[in-house]
Structures are given as structure tokens and as C-alpha cells.
Amino acid sequence: MISPILRQTSALILARRQPEYRRFLHSRIDFGEQLIGIKGARGCGKTTVLLQHAQSCGLEASRILYIACDHPAMVDVDLYALAQTFYQEGGQLLLIDEIHKSKGFAVHLKAIRDTFDLQVIFSGSSALRLEHELADLSRRAVVHELPVLSLREFMEIETGQQFAAYALPDILANHANLAANVMQTLRPIEQFKKYLRYGAYPFYRESFDNYTSKLLEVINLTIDSDLASLYSIAPDKLDKLKKLLYMLCSTDPVELNISKLSAGWVRPGRRFRAISTA
């Protein structure tokens, strides 16, 4: 039996109003596949893609179950057993968020795919762990990558207009005409400056004031959770990684010397110290 808490949580989340804007990946996914994966950085919009599909697929709410593997109610829950119960009760679409939090998830997904006539769409924020675990699913799962917002997507969200996507060779060969077309409806430099400040992650729409703190939370979770669990890094090394990242983000671009970084050094005239990662 599926936990009532999971059922209630799923119903509440599926009932939420989702953004009207759809990321480019939504139109590229073949939702006719039985096992679909979406990987990408935390906060880039993977959950929104899952929920937008759930609300537009035409299935009754009782046929859809959304679960997040980082939810307290999912501790020690067997994914295969949950999928079996859901299928036996008439389920058709199982959405699994943050699947990298479930131990041995690849084995469970393989068994679910081979056993039940059930569509499973899963997402994961730890790309490294997903790459490590999904090797055996290469013939069963179609895995897509969702990057952060592009400048084009950011401008579409900000203005409500649609802009065509162009390949780099087209831009290099015809940039003057393409730029002239864009400038008829907006000021691209103005939008680009906004994009550099807060445009990479869709959650900027929730609060401009809290964007920086949320971005910092994404970085900390990636280091403290994803990297730590995958490579068993000691806590003191995690602090050094954060200091190194801060140094790289705060200084002018330079060509890094890996030997000096691993040994530890101080650049004259700089406030920042290269941190040993050995």
C-alpha cells in the first residue's frame, strides 16, 4: 500500500498552478517513451517540466503519482514495490523527482521498465551520480539534459515574445540581420545585463531579493550533498572546495596551474589563497 502521506503530497503538488512558459526541452521530449530521464542542475526547472506534462497529458489525477526521493516519507521506500502497488491500483504515469537520492535506483528502474506497462519519468540533480548509475539503462531509458536558462529563453520569459533559435554558423554568417530583427522589439543589451545579474535560473521569478541566497543554496547543496555522497569527501575538504570556488569567481580570469593549486600558494597583491585539494 502506498503511504497516505505520499498520496496526499502528490495530490497537492500536482494541483499547483504551473508556469505557462515551457522550456525548450518540453517540445524535444518524446513523451511516448516508457522510461524518460531528465538531468540537470538544481533549480533549472526539471520539476516544472514533470508537472507541466502531468497537467497536460490528459490522464485522470488518480492515474498519476508524483514522488520526490528526498521527501522524509520516502526513506527506506522500495521504488519497485511502490511502482508495483501503483500499477496494480490502476496507475499509468509515475513521476520520480530527485531520483539520485534513492539508493540503487537504476536497478529498480530497469525492473519497473521490464515488468509493468507503466510510464516513468524521473529527474535528478546530481548529473555525476546519474551518469554513474544509468550505464545499465542505456537501451531502456531516454535521458535528456536540461541546462540553465539561455538568454533567448530569459528574454521570452521577460517579454512574453517568441524568438527563434539559431545555430552558431547562422549567427556568424548573418548576425547583422538577426540582430536587427531582434532590435525591432526590444533592447538586447538591456536584457543581457539583466540576464548576467539574475537570469540563469527560473527561480529568479519567485523573488529578485532572494535570488542570490537561493543561488548560494544551490551551490552549497551541490558541494555538500552531491559531491560529498558520490566521492566520500571529508567535511574539511568541502570547505576548501568552497573557498577555491569563491577565489575563482572573485578574481580575474587566469590560466590555472594545477600543481600550484594542489600544493597551495598565495598570489602577490591578492586577497585570495589557492586552496589545496589534495
Side-chain angles (χ1 to χ4, degrees), residues 1-10 62-67 73-74 77-94 118:
M1 179 179 177
I2 298 176
S3 165
I5 295 179
L6 290 178
R7 286 282 192 184
Q8 294 168 8
T9 302
S10 174
S62 60
R63 305 285 186 181
I64 306 173
L65 180 66
Y66 168 88
I67 59 173
M74 282 296 296
V77 171
D78 186 298
L79 281 182
Y80 180 84
L82 183 146
Q84 181 180 29
T85 301
F86 179 56
Y87 174 75
Q88 291 172 340
E89 294 178 353
Q92 293 180 255
L93 175 59
L94 178 60
L118 180 68

Side-chain angles (χ1 to χ4, degrees), residues 49-250:
V49 173
L50 297 182
L51 299 178
Q52 285 175 331
H53 172 65
Q55 293 183 354
S56 63
C57 67
L59 293 176
E60 298 177 356
S62 60
R63 305 285 186 181
I64 306 173
L65 180 66
Y66 168 88
I67 59 173
C69 292
D70 58 352
H71 192 282
M74 282 296 296
V75 175
D76 296 329
V77 171
D78 186 298
L79 281 182
Y80 180 84
L82 183 146
Q84 181 180 29
T85 301
F86 179 56
Y87 174 75
Q88 291 172 340
E89 294 178 353
Q92 293 180 255
L93 175 59
L94 178 60
L95 305 174
I96 309 177
D97 218 350
E98 299 297 322
I99 197 168
H100 59 279
K101 290 292 186 178
S102 179
K103 185 177 181 180
F105 65 84
V107 176
H108 292 275
L109 289 177
K110 179 180 177 181
I112 293 170
R113 167 66 175 79
D114 293 343
T115 307
F116 309 116
D117 183 17
L118 180 68
Q119 185 180 41
V120 178
I121 307 178
F122 62 91
S123 76
S125 299
S126 176
L128 293 173
R129 179 171 291 279
L130 286 173
E131 293 290 348
H132 180 73
E133 294 282 349
L134 292 177
D136 293 336
L137 288 173
S138 58
R139 297 185 307 275
R140 293 175 173 84
V142 180
V143 181
H144 302 268
E145 183 165 4
L146 184 65
V148 296
L149 286 175
S150 67
L151 174 60
R152 179 182 63 84
E153 290 180 301
F154 174 75
M155 291 193 304
E156 288 182 340
I157 293 175
E158 286 291 284
T159 65
Q161 303 177 48
Q162 295 293 315
F163 298 95
Y166 297 97
L168 181 59
D170 296 331
I171 296 175
L172 295 177
N174 196 29
H175 64 277
N177 291 331
L178 295 178
N181 291 335
V182 173
M183 291 173 63
Q184 291 177 1
T185 58
L186 55 77
R187 301 174 184 178
I189 299 301
E190 177 187 13
Q191 297 296 327
F192 183 58
K193 288 184 176 180
K194 293 179 181 179
Y195 175 75
L196 291 179
R197 288 179 54 201
Y198 53 76
Y201 289 87
F203 55 74
Y204 84 87
R205 300 283 290 178
E206 299 172 5
S207 171
F208 291 106
D209 295 335
N210 295 327
Y211 178 79
T212 303
S213 61
K214 289 183 177 181
L215 181 60
L216 181 60
E217 182 181 353
V218 168
I219 296 172
N220 285 330
L221 280 173
T222 301
I223 295 176
D224 295 335
S225 180
D226 298 340
L227 291 180
S229 62
L230 187 61
Y231 295 110
S232 301
I233 303 176
D236 62 318
K237 295 297 190 297
L238 295 177
D239 291 338
K240 292 180 179 180
L241 281 175
K242 292 177 183 179
K243 292 178 181 178
L244 177 59
L245 180 61
Y246 178 73
M247 181 202 72
L248 294 175
C249 293
S250 304

